[in-house]
Each structure stands twice: as C-alpha cells, then as structure tokens.
C-alpha cells in the first residue's frame, strides 16, 4: 500500500484534485440556492439551474450523443476530437516557429549586449499588444507573402499568431539560461582557450536547460491559447476556437454542449504540456542544479 | 612542446593593472616584478584587495595588464593560455554539474581533440592520483566540497601542465579538510613536478606549501617582501610531509611572513578590520 502511494503519488493526488472539483461542482448544484448567492445586487455564486450549471455527468454524456439533431450527425466526441487535433496541429506549428525564433533571439541577445539592450524592450512590449489587434494585420501581411508556390492561408495566420505568443517565454527563459553560467565557469572556458561557439555548446546551452524547460512548457500553453483565440480572430473553421463560439449559441437549449470544446481545449493543453514533460525526461542529466559551483 | 628548463615558469616585469578611470581609478597592481622558476612553488599572500588574485589572473591571461610584461615559459601570457601551458583551479570548483566526475576531468582533453582511448587512460590515472577512482561515475553534487576541489585539481592537471595556477582553491573548505588537501597537494606536486602559483590568505598554508612566500599589500597593490621558506631550514616544497608543520623552520617562516604583513605602513588599515590572517 505504502509502495503504491510513493510510486503513484502524483497520479493519485491529481485524480483526487479532479474529483474534488467535480464533487464541489455537483454539491453546490445540489445544495446551493436556485438563484445563486447574491450580496446586494451582485451575484457572487452562479445560479444552480440545469441551464446555468449542467450536471458533470451530463457534460460527459453529451460527448456520446449526436452533435446536432440532424439525421446522420456524428457524435459530439468525434467532432470535438477532430477539432482538437486540428487546433493542436496549428498550436504545434506555432510552438515550433516560436521556439526557433525565441532561441535565435536569445542567442543574439546573449552574444551582443547592445542587441539585448535594443531588442529586449520590444520583446516585452510585443506581449502587451492584444491578439485581436494583430490578427487582421497578420492576415493582411500574410496575404502579401508568397514563398515559392505556397499561398498564404488562414491556417498559416493562426500558426503565426500562436508563435507570436509562444516565442516570448522561450526568448526570455533561454536568455536567462544562456547567461546563467558563473564567472568561474566562464574563466575556465577561457583558460581552456575555446571561443564563443564552443563555450556555447560546452557550457551555455547545457546550463540553460533548467531555465529552458519551464519556458518551453509555458510556450506550449501559450501556443494552445494563441491557436484557439486566433481561430476566432481570423475566422478559421475546423478548430476549437470557432466551435466554442458556435456551441455557445446552443447553450439555451442544450446547456451541456458548450462544455464539450472547452474540455477539448483542456485536453490539448494537457497533451502539449505532457509532450514537454517527455522532453524534460530526455534532458534529465542537464537538469541537475547541484552544489557544484 | 618540451621545455628545456631555461625559461622560468613565470616572469613578470614592471606590471601595472589599473581598474577604472578618473576619480574611480583603482591601482590594483603597481610595479610588480616576480619570477617563478620551473618547478618552484610560490604563494601570494596578503589582505583582500592587495591584487594577489589580479596578478594570478594576469598570468592566466584572464585579464590584461595595463603596462608591463608577463611571460610564461618564455611565451606571452596569451600564447601560453592558447597553448595550454598552465592548469588552473579556483576557490569554487567550477565543475559542470551535468557531467560526471570522469566527464569533468576529461573535459579539457576532449575540448582539445585528444582521442577517446588516451582520454580514458589519463582520466583513470588522474582519479587514481586524487584517490577518487570509485567516484568516476558520480555527479559533482554527490561529492563533498573537498572531493569536488580534488576533482577540480585533477582537471587542472589533465594536460600535464608544467605550471599550476591556484586561486584560493581551499578557501571554502573547513580547517581539517584543508590541511588534508594541503598534504595531498604537496604529494601531487612532487609527482608532477609542476611549478605552482598559489593565492591564499592563510599564513600557515602559504608557508607549508611554498618554496617562497610573496607578501603583498593593498592600496596600491604591490609586493612588500618575499620570504624564502627554504632559507629558514625547510626542505624544498616537493619533499615535505605533514610533519613539516611542527618544524622550527616552519614557525620561523610563519613569523617572518606575519611580520611582513603587519609591519607595513598599512597597519592602520589592518586595525580597521581588514582580515590579515
């Protein structure tokens, strides 16, 4: 018993956490007042009607039912699954572009102090621009781009916007990581008589791994959010973004339905974070942050 | 690459190092002349800010002198660094935490293109020398501070340099570990025959390890005197054993170094709390 606990501690605790959320949802629905909890005119807890708060099992059950009442409509699960995969694919493309751009930026910033001073404020500033504002710009500029025979599509726009969110944590995290080696380590590399490039490979890149992994995970989460939101802003069909909007309309007659794409978004977020976790496993030796100085 | 033994290990002539400009100017080193013979063990001792580490960094070409010349085995400091004429160890071990003990020791060999088979043999020799053969596959964070420092010394010796530069390598260790490390360093130096430039602020450490102790003082950083420990009746540094700490010559040399440290016009500074031990 104790062995099982130590071995699967994280899994058990995770399951308990999810169960706690589900239980409190249904408990509040069962016991809470129908009109919600109000202080004055301000509602601080929601109504508990079936319309406002469908039972958790109804939300799950909804996945097995046909997505619309039309004859021959596929079940909601496969529809949401397809949309999730579509969005995940775009997020992955965006993440990849974001990681490459972020790493390159961090590299030049760590190499040249003056570029860091010039560029870093812009990198930070870039994240203060609302996505909604840049979506039409990306689309318009994109349509002016033609590389080889490739014609710019809305999917490219979505991937670029996802990358726009994903590059930021990567650039900042990688920069910190590349600059993390101590003076002793840098002196040593100089004493070995090796130049910037080999110091980068021998010292700076391995030393940056503990900073890079959280940055990559953050980038993955940002890419998922960026892809879903960009689908809405660009007006691209086929992914979770549009589905969230479309299904929200059905809320009044089919209250469990809008939750389906939300769960889809949660699922692809977990998949994205899990993929980085696997990457972290592969890079495990470099995560050592021991006492060696 | 063999030296004929004619060139001294280190020769510094009229070395100045000035940090900063104008009102913030600091004379870290003023008019320093120093010769370290091939195979000789020389310690630099003095209070903080006397420029002893700065001098070592100039020899290592980690910093450049404002004026004056430094040669290492007859070459410029820069050329000596590029030719790997010296091995270096710092107060912090500077081991790469993601590399094993063996991986850390072989790093300089690997960076300079030594074939894997030769590397493996050399690493085995070095680990034998520092008595850490069983820890070859351990990572640095599994080692005590003293063991980490031994690995750092093994790494400094990897390419069999004829000169070792050591910047307070035992400064972060406790007194007991420290004495043991000093004994080991004497043994290692005897086996390798390398010249050593050793920075410390411990008088007994300097005297026990050295052939000559160079005493420095701050503001401006300069050499105020040299104590030849051998002249006090001690055997050459390479031939000493732990018992040397109880010899009469040891105490005489300690007294001389202490007198030089405290007898300088900088005594007023020392009284204000600068650590001169």
């Amino acid at each position: 018993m104790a062995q099982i606990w130590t071995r699967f501690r994280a899994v058990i605790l995770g399951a308990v956490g999810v169960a706690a959320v589900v239980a409190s949802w249904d408990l509040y629905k069962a016991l809470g007042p129908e009109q919600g909890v109000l202080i004055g005119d301000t509602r601080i807890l929601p109504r508990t009607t079936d319309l406002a708060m469908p039972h958790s099992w109804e939300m799950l059950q909804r996945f097995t039912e046909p997505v619309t009442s039309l004859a021959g409509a596929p079940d909601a699960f496969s529809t949401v699954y397809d949309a999730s995969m579509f969005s995940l694919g775009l997020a992955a493309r965006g993440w990849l572009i974001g990681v490459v751009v972020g790493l390159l930026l961090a590299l030049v910033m760590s190499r040249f102090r003056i570029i860091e001073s010039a560029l870093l404020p812009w990198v930070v500033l870039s994240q203060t621009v609302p996505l909604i504002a840049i979506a039409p710009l990306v689309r318009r500029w994109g349509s002016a781009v033609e590389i080889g025979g490739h014609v710019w599509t809305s999917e490219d726009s979505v991937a670029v916007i996802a990358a726009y969110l994903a590059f930021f944590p990567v650039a900042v995290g990688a920069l910190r990581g590349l600059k993390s080696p101590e003076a002793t380590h840098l002196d040593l590399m100089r004493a070995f008589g090796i130049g910037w490039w080999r110091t980068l490979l021998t010292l700076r890149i391995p030393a940056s791994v503990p900073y890079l992994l959280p940055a990559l995970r953050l980038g993955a989460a940002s890419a998922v959010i960026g892809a879903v939101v960009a689908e809405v802003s660009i007006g691209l069909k086929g992914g979770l973004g549009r589905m969230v909007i479309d299904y929200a309309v059905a809320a009044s007659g089919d209250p469990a339905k809008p939750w389906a794409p939300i769960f889809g978004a949660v699922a692809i977020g977990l998949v994205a974070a899990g993929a980085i976790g696997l990457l972290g496993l592969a890079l495990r030796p470099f995560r050592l942050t021991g006492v060696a100085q | 690459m063999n030296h004929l033994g004619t060139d001294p290990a280190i020769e510094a002539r009229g070395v100045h190092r000035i940090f900063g400009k104008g009102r913030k100017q600091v004379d870290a080193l003023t008019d320093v002349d120093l010769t370290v013979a091939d195979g000789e063990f020389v310690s630099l001792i003095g209070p903080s800010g006397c420029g002893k580490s700065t001098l070592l960094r100039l020899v290592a070409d980690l910093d450049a002198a404002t004026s004056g010349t430094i040669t290492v085995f007859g070459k410029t400091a820069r050329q000596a660094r590029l030719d790997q004429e010296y091995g270096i160890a710092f107060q912090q071990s500077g081991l790469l935490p993601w590399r094993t003990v063996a991986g850390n020791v072989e790093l300089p060999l690997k960076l300079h293109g030594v074939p894997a088979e030769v590397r493996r043999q050399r690493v085995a020799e070095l680990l034998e020398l520092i008595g850490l053969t069983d820890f070859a596959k351990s990572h640095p964070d599994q080692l005590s501070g003293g063991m980490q420092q031994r690995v750092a010394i093994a790494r400094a010796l990897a390419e069999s340099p004829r000169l070792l530069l050591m910047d307070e390598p035992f400064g972060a260790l406790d007194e007991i570990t420290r004495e043991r490390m000093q004994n080991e360093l004497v043994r290692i130096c005897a086996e390798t025959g390398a010249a050593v430039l050793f920075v410390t602020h411990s008088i007994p450490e300097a005297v026990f390890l050295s052939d000559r102790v160079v005493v420095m003082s701050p503001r401006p950083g300069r050499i105020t005197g040299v104590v030849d420990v051998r002249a006090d009746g001690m055997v050459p540094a390479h031939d000493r054993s732990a018992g040397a700490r109880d010899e009469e010559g040891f105490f005489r040399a300690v007294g001389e170094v202490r007198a030089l440290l405290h007898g300088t016009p900088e005594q007023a500074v020392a009284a204000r709390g600068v650590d001169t031990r």
Side-chain angles (χ1 to χ4, degrees), chain B residues 1 9 11-12 29 42 71 92 105 108 142 163-164 173 208 249 256:
Chain B
M1 288 292 286
E11 187 151 39
L29 283 177
V42 173
T71 57
Q92 296 177 317
V105 173
Q142 295 166 297
L163 172 63
L164 266 184
L173 304 179
F208 174 67
E256 282 173 29

Side-chain angles (χ1 to χ4, degrees), chain B residues 28-229:
Chain B
L29 283 177
T30 300
D31 200 22
V32 167
D33 289 303
L34 176 69
T35 306
V36 176
D38 200 1
E40 190 184 22
F41 198 122
V42 173
S43 286
L44 303 177
I45 192 167
S48 305
C50 70
K52 54 194 191 296
S53 287
T54 303
L55 181 54
L56 180 133
R57 292 177 63 82
L58 293 179
V59 173
D61 189 40
L62 298 176
D63 188 13
T66 308
S67 66
T69 58
I70 293 179
T71 57
V72 176
F73 294 116
K75 303 174 178 180
T76 62
R78 178 181 153 75
Q79 194 56 46
R81 172 174 66 85
L82 295 177
D83 291 348
Q84 299 298 300
E85 292 290 352
Y86 68 80
I88 193 163
F90 303 93
Q91 180 168 4
Q92 296 177 317
S93 69
L95 300 178
L96 302 182
W98 54 85
R99 285 182 161 259
T100 61
V101 166
N104 268 292
V105 173
E106 75 161 359
L107 183 63
L109 301 170
K110 198 171 178 185
L111 288 172
H112 300 123
V114 175
E117 184 51 32
V118 181
R119 283 202 315 255
R120 224 170 43 79
Q121 273 179 23
R122 180 74 184 135
V123 168
E125 272 171 37
L126 288 162
L127 292 182
E128 178 83 43
L129 181 71
I130 58 164
L132 288 179
T133 304
D134 294 342
F135 292 87
K137 293 203 170 92
S138 305
H139 279 94
D141 60 346
Q142 295 166 297
L143 269 51
S144 69
M147 287 156 101
Q148 289 183 19
Q149 209 50 262
R150 264 142 77 189
V151 176
I153 292 170
R155 177 180 59 191
L157 293 168
E159 293 180 287
S160 311
R162 313 232 7 241
L163 172 63
L164 266 184
L165 303 176
M166 306 184 95
D167 191 356
E168 297 189 43
F170 309 143
L173 304 179
D174 63 81
E175 194 61 32
I176 300 157
T177 313
R178 198 169 176 155
E179 283 202 358
R180 204 161 52 227
M181 295 289 291
Q182 290 164 6
N183 297 343
E184 285 207 32
L185 183 59
V186 167
R187 178 178 61 81
I188 289 169
C189 289
E191 283 184 38
T192 59
V196 184
L197 185 65
F198 190 94
V199 169
T200 180
H201 47 228
S202 159
I203 298 173
E205 180 167 273
V207 170
F208 174 67
L209 290 172
S210 311
D211 290 314
R212 283 188 301 146
V213 178
V214 174
V215 180
M216 299 179 72
S217 76
R219 277 168 291 253
R222 65 193 184 280
I223 293 174
T224 47
V226 179
V227 174
D228 192 329
V229 178

Side-chain angles (χ1 to χ4, degrees), chain A residues 6-292:
Chain A
T6 48
R7 192 103 180 259
F8 297 104
R9 192 163 168 236
V11 178
I12 296 170
L13 285 177
V16 168
V18 172
V21 171
V22 172
S24 53
W25 175 277
D26 280 305
L27 265 174
Y28 174 69
K29 181 170 163 58
L31 304 177
E34 184 135 316
Q35 285 311 305
V37 176
L38 287 104
I39 295 178
D41 286 336
T42 312
R43 180 173 285 111
I44 56 161
L45 284 171
R47 291 190 177 93
T48 57
T49 56
D50 282 346
L51 206 57
M53 285 183 73
H55 283 291
S56 54
W57 55 85
E58 280 172 356
M59 298 181 205
L60 283 181
Q61 206 180 5
R62 187 66 189 82
F63 276 110
T64 64
E65 293 161 9
V67 68
T68 60
S69 53
L70 289 174
D75 60 292
F77 179 81
S78 63
T79 316
V80 170
Y81 177 83
D82 290 345
S84 299
M85 285 302 119
F86 182 82
S87 294
L88 184 60
L90 291 180
R93 267 171 69 186
W95 181 79
L96 218 60
I97 300 169
V99 168
V100 170
V101 171
L103 288 180
L104 286 177
L105 282 175
L107 223 52
V108 292
M109 285 195 288
S110 73
R111 178 74 180 89
F112 303 105
R113 192 66 177 268
I114 188 163
I115 292 189
E116 184 190 341
S117 314
L119 216 54
L120 200 55
W122 290 103
V123 170
V124 175
L125 209 64
S126 74
Q127 299 304 300
T128 63
V129 181
L131 274 192
I132 310 290
I134 61 161
L137 289 176
V138 170
R139 196 176 140 112
R140 194 175 328 133
W141 291 336
S143 62
V145 174
E146 203 186 314
I147 306 158
H150 182 77
V151 180
W152 192 268
T153 63
S154 294
E155 295 178 25
D156 296 324
S157 298
V158 171
V160 165
I161 294 168
Y164 186 84
L165 282 195
F167 94 94
F168 177 71
V170 177
V172 174
L175 179 61
R176 269 199 68 189
L178 291 173
K179 289 170 82 175
S180 67
E182 292 154 43
T184 300
H185 284 135
L186 294 170
D187 280 345
L188 201 66
M189 295 300 133
R190 185 171 158 84
F192 289 158
I194 61 171
W196 179 82
W197 180 246
R198 298 190 70 195
T199 302
L200 181 74
L201 295 179
T202 311
L203 177 63
R204 289 188 190 271
I205 287 179
S208 73
V209 169
Y211 297 83
L212 205 52
L213 284 174
L216 291 177
R217 186 158 44 218
L218 221 60
S222 297
V224 168
I225 294 172
V228 171
V229 173
E231 282 169 6
V232 178
S233 314
I234 296 285
L236 176 66
K237 284 183 185 162
L240 286 171
R242 268 303 277 272
M243 190 176 264
V244 168
I245 304 287
D246 289 347
Y247 283 18
V249 178
S252 54
D254 192 352
K257 192 173 174 183
W259 292 92
I262 292 173
F263 287 136
V266 170
I268 61 172
L270 289 176
V271 169
I276 309 299
L278 287 179
L279 189 67
L281 232 51
L283 294 173
R284 207 160 173 185
F286 298 104
R287 299 178 68 182
L288 286 172
T289 49
V291 284

Side-chain angles (χ1 to χ4, degrees), chain B residues 222-244:
Chain B
R222 65 193 184 280
I223 293 174
T224 47
V226 179
V227 174
D228 192 329
V229 178
R230 289 163 301 191
D232 287 304
M234 302 270 287
V235 292
H238 288 176
D239 301 331
R240 279 176 212 158
S241 62

